[in-house]
Amino acid sequence: YITECLFLKKDVTMSIKVENITKVYGEQKALNTISFSVKSAEIVGFLGPNGAGKSTMMKILTTYINPSEGQVKVNGYDIDSDKKSVQSSVGYLPEHNPLYTDLYVREYLKFNGDVHNVKKQRIEKVIELTGLLPEAHKKIGQLSKGYRQRVGLANAMLHNPDVLILDEPTTGLDPNQLVDIRNLIKNIGKEKTVFLSTHIMQEVEAMCDRVIIINKGEIVADKYLADMRQDQEQIVIVEFDYRVEDTFLLKLPKVSSVKNTQNFIYEITFSTAEDMRSHVFDFANDNALKILQLNQKNASLESLFRELTS
Ligand code: ADP
Ligand code: MG
């Protein structure tokens, strides 16, 4: 009896459970015996280069296509034997977010809401949640790419699913839109399980708790970002108002290497987990240099991604 309870509990806390999934298109193996699980309310980044198999995996999770082999449970429901329950558990933002540009935002969401028997109140709530209120009376075709992406997110959230599958939600957005959509996704992730794909490493750093790296249809890494931040290496990117000799920057504490990437921009690698930005700031100040930009990068995620996908 106790064992049974434990098993039940385990299944419920796992939002997504993928076991030995293989997908073959004709001759090509797009996914090769993939397994992973996602806990509820995690934001997981599914990172991989183009053609790695990300969209294929997402289409399987949303029941759009069937795997060739293996088992998947979403929200505890089997994609094969309990398809309808899976469909009510997931919200999906497809890669190229197909939208009817002639429809008005509210009209479009109402139509899709009807399909899932979504109440009018819920539609208004989702419009508000996704920041669409000022644009809801416009035609989708009139919206910027960032706002179209919000319509796609609103659409995915209409039936209040526990799990959101977002296929490259930030690809092609300009920097301002990018920040807004990232924040929106992070907010959604406070309550929902978010599984999002991207081929851009920085997106994972900006939004995710965990990264699963896929390459050529196989999972090559699965790590929590918090663990990676403990790693004893970091890169600080600094732009000064003036040229500095690399050797001069090597005087910084705990520095392991310096690279002048362009003009007055330098990538400084430190072998410590301590945030070294304040040291760089003091150094600039002591040497009468002005800082035009100062950023920190997770060296381990970057090198891991490069190494695994090169
Ligand atoms: P990603 O989303 O990571 O870019 P995809 O899942 O779209 O990768 O594609 C993985 C591989 O499977 C690619 O080589 C792609 O060309 C192939 N593929 C995807 N969909 C199909 C399909 N419907 N028919 C044949 N091959 C496909
Ligand atoms: Mg894709």
Short mmCIF file of all heavy atoms in Angstrom, two decimals, residues 35-74:
data_model
loop_
_atom_site.label_atom_id
_atom_site.label_comp_id
_atom_site.label_asym_id
_atom_site.label_seq_id
_atom_site.Cartn_x
_atom_site.Cartn_y
_atom_site.Cartn_z
N SER A 35 15.45 10.08 -22.96
CA SER A 35 14.73 10.02 -21.68
C SER A 35 15.03 11.25 -20.84
O SER A 35 16.18 11.68 -20.78
CB SER A 35 15.15 8.79 -20.87
OG SER A 35 14.92 7.60 -21.59
N PHE A 36 14.01 11.81 -20.22
CA PHE A 36 14.19 12.88 -19.23
C PHE A 36 12.86 13.10 -18.51
O PHE A 36 11.82 12.67 -18.99
CB PHE A 36 14.68 14.19 -19.87
CG PHE A 36 13.73 14.81 -20.87
CD1 PHE A 36 12.73 15.69 -20.45
CD2 PHE A 36 13.82 14.50 -22.21
CE1 PHE A 36 11.85 16.27 -21.37
CE2 PHE A 36 12.94 15.06 -23.14
CZ PHE A 36 11.96 15.95 -22.71
N SER A 37 12.92 13.77 -17.36
CA SER A 37 11.69 14.14 -16.66
C SER A 37 11.76 15.60 -16.28
O SER A 37 12.83 16.15 -16.10
CB SER A 37 11.51 13.36 -15.36
OG SER A 37 11.85 12.03 -15.55
N VAL A 38 10.60 16.21 -16.16
CA VAL A 38 10.52 17.60 -15.73
C VAL A 38 9.56 17.67 -14.55
O VAL A 38 8.46 17.14 -14.61
CB VAL A 38 10.02 18.51 -16.88
CG1 VAL A 38 9.85 19.95 -16.40
CG2 VAL A 38 10.98 18.46 -18.07
N LYS A 39 10.01 18.30 -13.47
CA LYS A 39 9.16 18.44 -12.28
C LYS A 39 8.19 19.58 -12.47
O LYS A 39 8.44 20.48 -13.27
CB LYS A 39 10.03 18.75 -11.06
CG LYS A 39 10.84 17.58 -10.58
CD LYS A 39 11.51 17.94 -9.27
CE LYS A 39 12.84 17.23 -9.17
NZ LYS A 39 13.94 18.08 -8.78
N SER A 40 7.12 19.56 -11.69
CA SER A 40 6.12 20.60 -11.88
C SER A 40 6.67 21.96 -11.44
O SER A 40 7.47 22.06 -10.51
CB SER A 40 4.82 20.23 -11.18
OG SER A 40 4.80 20.76 -9.92
N ALA A 41 6.25 23.01 -12.18
CA ALA A 41 6.65 24.40 -11.96
C ALA A 41 8.15 24.68 -12.18
O ALA A 41 8.67 25.66 -11.70
CB ALA A 41 6.20 24.91 -10.60
N GLU A 42 8.79 23.81 -12.94
CA GLU A 42 10.17 24.10 -13.36
C GLU A 42 10.13 24.83 -14.70
O GLU A 42 9.22 24.62 -15.50
CB GLU A 42 10.93 22.79 -13.61
CG GLU A 42 11.71 22.28 -12.44
CD GLU A 42 12.57 21.05 -12.76
OE1 GLU A 42 12.33 20.34 -13.76
OE2 GLU A 42 13.49 20.81 -11.99
N ILE A 43 11.12 25.67 -14.94
CA ILE A 43 11.30 26.22 -16.29
C ILE A 43 12.54 25.54 -16.86
O ILE A 43 13.65 25.74 -16.37
CB ILE A 43 11.51 27.74 -16.30
CG1 ILE A 43 10.36 28.46 -15.58
CG2 ILE A 43 11.65 28.25 -17.73
CD1 ILE A 43 10.41 29.98 -15.68
N VAL A 44 12.31 24.70 -17.85
CA VAL A 44 13.41 23.93 -18.42
C VAL A 44 13.68 24.39 -19.85
O VAL A 44 12.76 24.50 -20.66
CB VAL A 44 13.11 22.42 -18.39
CG1 VAL A 44 14.21 21.62 -19.07
CG2 VAL A 44 12.92 21.94 -16.96
N GLY A 45 14.93 24.66 -20.13
CA GLY A 45 15.33 25.04 -21.49
C GLY A 45 15.79 23.81 -22.25
O GLY A 45 16.59 23.02 -21.74
N PHE A 46 15.24 23.63 -23.44
CA PHE A 46 15.61 22.51 -24.30
C PHE A 46 16.49 23.13 -25.38
O PHE A 46 15.99 23.76 -26.31
CB PHE A 46 14.33 21.90 -24.87
CG PHE A 46 14.45 20.52 -25.44
CD1 PHE A 46 15.28 19.57 -24.86
CD2 PHE A 46 13.69 20.14 -26.54
CE1 PHE A 46 15.35 18.27 -25.37
CE2 PHE A 46 13.75 18.86 -27.06
CZ PHE A 46 14.59 17.93 -26.48
N LEU A 47 17.80 22.99 -25.19
CA LEU A 47 18.76 23.74 -25.99
C LEU A 47 19.45 22.83 -27.00
O LEU A 47 19.92 21.75 -26.64
CB LEU A 47 19.80 24.36 -25.03
CG LEU A 47 21.00 25.11 -25.61
CD1 LEU A 47 20.55 26.40 -26.29
CD2 LEU A 47 21.99 25.44 -24.49
N GLY A 48 19.52 23.29 -28.24
CA GLY A 48 20.23 22.51 -29.24
C GLY A 48 20.28 23.25 -30.56
O GLY A 48 19.43 24.11 -30.81
N PRO A 49 21.25 22.92 -31.40
CA PRO A 49 21.36 23.59 -32.70
C PRO A 49 20.19 23.22 -33.61
O PRO A 49 19.43 22.31 -33.30
CB PRO A 49 22.68 23.07 -33.26
CG PRO A 49 22.95 21.80 -32.53
CD PRO A 49 22.30 21.92 -31.19
N ASN A 50 20.05 23.92 -34.71
CA ASN A 50 18.97 23.62 -35.66
C ASN A 50 19.08 22.18 -36.15
O ASN A 50 20.18 21.70 -36.41
CB ASN A 50 19.02 24.57 -36.85
CG ASN A 50 18.54 25.96 -36.47
OD1 ASN A 50 17.60 26.09 -35.67
ND2 ASN A 50 19.18 26.97 -36.98
N GLY A 51 17.95 21.51 -36.21
CA GLY A 51 17.93 20.13 -36.69
C GLY A 51 18.22 19.10 -35.61
O GLY A 51 18.27 17.90 -35.88
N ALA A 52 18.38 19.55 -34.36
CA ALA A 52 18.74 18.63 -33.27
C ALA A 52 17.60 17.69 -32.90
O ALA A 52 17.82 16.60 -32.37
CB ALA A 52 19.18 19.42 -32.05
N GLY A 53 16.35 18.13 -33.15
CA GLY A 53 15.20 17.30 -32.79
C GLY A 53 14.27 17.94 -31.76
O GLY A 53 13.36 17.28 -31.25
N LYS A 54 14.47 19.20 -31.49
CA LYS A 54 13.68 19.90 -30.46
C LYS A 54 12.19 19.94 -30.81
O LYS A 54 11.35 19.54 -30.02
CB LYS A 54 14.20 21.35 -30.27
CG LYS A 54 15.66 21.44 -29.90
CD LYS A 54 16.09 22.87 -29.69
CE LYS A 54 16.08 23.75 -30.93
NZ LYS A 54 17.02 23.35 -31.98
N SER A 55 11.90 20.44 -32.02
CA SER A 55 10.48 20.56 -32.40
C SER A 55 9.82 19.19 -32.46
O SER A 55 8.65 19.04 -32.08
CB SER A 55 10.35 21.26 -33.75
OG SER A 55 10.84 22.57 -33.66
N THR A 56 10.55 18.20 -32.93
CA THR A 56 10.01 16.84 -32.99
C THR A 56 9.59 16.38 -31.60
O THR A 56 8.48 15.87 -31.41
CB THR A 56 11.06 15.88 -33.59
OG1 THR A 56 11.38 16.34 -34.91
CG2 THR A 56 10.56 14.46 -33.65
N MET A 57 10.46 16.58 -30.61
CA MET A 57 10.14 16.18 -29.23
C MET A 57 8.90 16.92 -28.73
O MET A 57 8.02 16.34 -28.10
CB MET A 57 11.33 16.47 -28.32
CG MET A 57 11.19 15.92 -26.91
SD MET A 57 11.14 14.11 -26.89
CE MET A 57 9.54 13.80 -26.15
N MET A 58 8.82 18.21 -29.06
CA MET A 58 7.70 19.01 -28.58
C MET A 58 6.38 18.60 -29.22
O MET A 58 5.34 18.60 -28.57
CB MET A 58 8.00 20.49 -28.82
CG MET A 58 9.16 20.91 -27.93
SD MET A 58 9.48 22.65 -28.02
CE MET A 58 9.81 23.00 -26.30
N LYS A 59 6.44 18.23 -30.49
CA LYS A 59 5.23 17.77 -31.17
C LYS A 59 4.75 16.44 -30.58
O LYS A 59 3.54 16.17 -30.55
CB LYS A 59 5.48 17.61 -32.67
CG LYS A 59 5.59 18.95 -33.39
CD LYS A 59 5.88 18.72 -34.86
CE LYS A 59 6.56 19.92 -35.49
NZ LYS A 59 7.17 19.58 -36.78
N ILE A 60 5.67 15.65 -30.09
CA ILE A 60 5.28 14.39 -29.44
C ILE A 60 4.61 14.69 -28.10
O ILE A 60 3.56 14.14 -27.77
CB ILE A 60 6.50 13.45 -29.26
CG1 ILE A 60 7.00 12.97 -30.64
CG2 ILE A 60 6.17 12.27 -28.36
CD1 ILE A 60 8.31 12.22 -30.62
N LEU A 61 5.21 15.62 -27.34
CA LEU A 61 4.65 15.98 -26.02
C LEU A 61 3.24 16.56 -26.13
O LEU A 61 2.44 16.43 -25.21
CB LEU A 61 5.55 17.00 -25.32
CG LEU A 61 6.92 16.51 -24.86
CD1 LEU A 61 7.76 17.67 -24.35
CD2 LEU A 61 6.78 15.45 -23.77
N THR A 62 2.96 17.22 -27.25
CA THR A 62 1.65 17.85 -27.41
C THR A 62 0.67 16.96 -28.18
O THR A 62 -0.43 17.40 -28.52
CB THR A 62 1.80 19.18 -28.17
OG1 THR A 62 2.54 18.95 -29.36
CG2 THR A 62 2.52 20.21 -27.32
N THR A 63 1.08 15.76 -28.51
CA THR A 63 0.30 14.73 -29.22
C THR A 63 0.05 15.06 -30.70
O THR A 63 -0.81 14.46 -31.33
CB THR A 63 -1.07 14.39 -28.55
OG1 THR A 63 -1.99 15.46 -28.81
CG2 THR A 63 -0.96 14.16 -27.06
N TYR A 64 0.79 16.04 -31.25
CA TYR A 64 0.63 16.32 -32.69
C TYR A 64 1.15 15.18 -33.54
O TYR A 64 0.61 14.88 -34.59
CB TYR A 64 1.33 17.64 -33.08
CG TYR A 64 0.42 18.81 -32.92
CD1 TYR A 64 0.24 19.41 -31.68
CD2 TYR A 64 -0.31 19.29 -34.01
CE1 TYR A 64 -0.62 20.48 -31.53
CE2 TYR A 64 -1.18 20.36 -33.87
CZ TYR A 64 -1.33 20.95 -32.63
OH TYR A 64 -2.20 21.99 -32.48
N ILE A 65 2.25 14.58 -33.10
CA ILE A 65 2.76 13.40 -33.80
C ILE A 65 3.04 12.29 -32.79
O ILE A 65 3.16 12.54 -31.59
CB ILE A 65 4.05 13.71 -34.62
CG1 ILE A 65 5.19 14.20 -33.70
CG2 ILE A 65 3.80 14.72 -35.72
CD1 ILE A 65 6.52 14.35 -34.41
N ASN A 66 3.11 11.07 -33.30
CA ASN A 66 3.38 9.93 -32.43
C ASN A 66 4.85 9.55 -32.50
O ASN A 66 5.46 9.65 -33.56
CB ASN A 66 2.55 8.72 -32.87
CG ASN A 66 1.08 8.95 -32.68
OD1 ASN A 66 0.65 9.51 -31.67
ND2 ASN A 66 0.29 8.56 -33.67
N PRO A 67 5.39 9.08 -31.38
CA PRO A 67 6.78 8.60 -31.44
C PRO A 67 6.83 7.25 -32.16
O PRO A 67 5.81 6.58 -32.27
CB PRO A 67 7.16 8.45 -29.97
CG PRO A 67 5.87 8.25 -29.25
CD PRO A 67 4.81 8.97 -30.04
N SER A 68 8.00 6.88 -32.65
CA SER A 68 8.14 5.55 -33.25
C SER A 68 8.27 4.50 -32.16
O SER A 68 7.79 3.38 -32.30
CB SER A 68 9.39 5.50 -34.15
OG SER A 68 9.39 6.59 -35.03
N GLU A 69 8.95 4.90 -31.05
CA GLU A 69 9.11 3.99 -29.91
C GLU A 69 9.18 4.79 -28.63
O GLU A 69 9.57 5.95 -28.65
CB GLU A 69 10.44 3.23 -30.04
CG GLU A 69 10.39 1.98 -30.89
CD GLU A 69 11.79 1.43 -31.09
OE1 GLU A 69 12.39 0.98 -30.11
OE2 GLU A 69 12.26 1.49 -32.24
N GLY A 70 8.86 4.15 -27.51
CA GLY A 70 9.02 4.77 -26.21
C GLY A 70 7.72 5.24 -25.59
O GLY A 70 6.64 5.11 -26.19
N GLN A 71 7.84 5.78 -24.37
CA GLN A 71 6.66 6.18 -23.60
C GLN A 71 6.78 7.61 -23.11
O GLN A 71 7.87 8.05 -22.73
CB GLN A 71 6.56 5.29 -22.36
CG GLN A 71 5.88 3.96 -22.63
CD GLN A 71 5.51 3.32 -21.32
OE1 GLN A 71 6.31 3.30 -20.39
NE2 GLN A 71 4.29 2.81 -21.24
N VAL A 72 5.65 8.32 -23.10
CA VAL A 72 5.63 9.68 -22.58
C VAL A 72 4.40 9.88 -21.71
O VAL A 72 3.30 9.46 -22.08
CB VAL A 72 5.59 10.73 -23.73
CG1 VAL A 72 5.49 12.14 -23.15
CG2 VAL A 72 6.81 10.63 -24.63
N LYS A 73 4.64 10.51 -20.56
CA LYS A 73 3.51 10.93 -19.72
C LYS A 73 3.60 12.42 -19.50
O LYS A 73 4.67 12.95 -19.22
CB LYS A 73 3.56 10.21 -18.37
CG LYS A 73 2.95 8.84 -18.42
CD LYS A 73 2.83 8.24 -17.05
CE LYS A 73 2.18 6.86 -17.17
NZ LYS A 73 2.26 6.14 -15.89
N VAL A 74 2.45 13.08 -19.67
CA VAL A 74 2.39 14.51 -19.38
C VAL A 74 1.33 14.70 -18.31
O VAL A 74 0.20 14.23 -18.48
CB VAL A 74 2.04 15.32 -20.65
CG1 VAL A 74 1.99 16.82 -20.33
CG2 VAL A 74 3.04 15.06 -21.76
#
